Amino acid sequence: MAILLPHLPGIRSAEPELMDFGNVLQGPQGGAAQRLNRIGDRFAISVELPPALSATHGRIYVARLLKARREGALYPFPQPGLEIGAPGLPVVDGNDQAGSVLKVRGATPH
């Protein structure tokens, strides 16, 4: 189960980064290149925290970070200007879904 890391006020910076484990394979003797996707792609975030943590709070935060390294982390990431809008009530359309695309119904058009 993922560990919820608390959002601390006064964050100096937060920079997301895509961790891509795929690769581009070059064809032999000048052949076409081909993308090889591998499972496990995910995002990482580098956060510069404020220096105002007390020793007690700092130990708690570090303990959560160490546990999150093994179990995954949830972090409230600030996204200024992002407006989701009204997505409707989307649900997966059918139980025969496979691959990397899902059919959905009930979503707001466009």
Side-chain angles (χ1 to χ4, degrees), residues 3-110:
I3 305 302
L4 177 62
L5 297 175
H7 177 75
L8 299 174
I11 289 177
R12 294 182 171 183
S13 67
E15 297 179 21
E17 175 187 0
L18 174 63
M19 298 175 66
D20 181 9
F21 296 102
N23 201 356
V24 176
L25 303 175
Q26 288 297 118
Q29 301 175 352
Q34 180 180 6
R35 170 79 183 162
L36 175 64
N37 290 319
R38 297 184 185 212
I39 59 174
D41 291 354
R42 57 188 170 270
F43 283 93
I45 182 171
S46 297
V47 178
E48 186 177 346
L49 299 175
L53 287 176
S54 68
T56 303
H57 288 106
R59 286 187 197 106
I60 292 170
Y61 207 85
V62 168
R64 288 186 184 175
L65 282 173
L66 292 173
K67 191 169 183 181
R69 177 143 186 164
R70 290 187 306 269
E71 300 181 23
L74 299 173
Y75 186 76
F77 179 68
Q79 300 180 58
L82 175 67
E83 294 183 27
I84 301 298
L89 298 171
V91 294
V92 176
D93 189 15
N95 62 355
D96 58 341
Q97 306 295 317
S100 60
V101 178
L102 286 176
K103 293 186 283 184
V104 295
R105 60 182 161 82
T108 303
H110 308 293

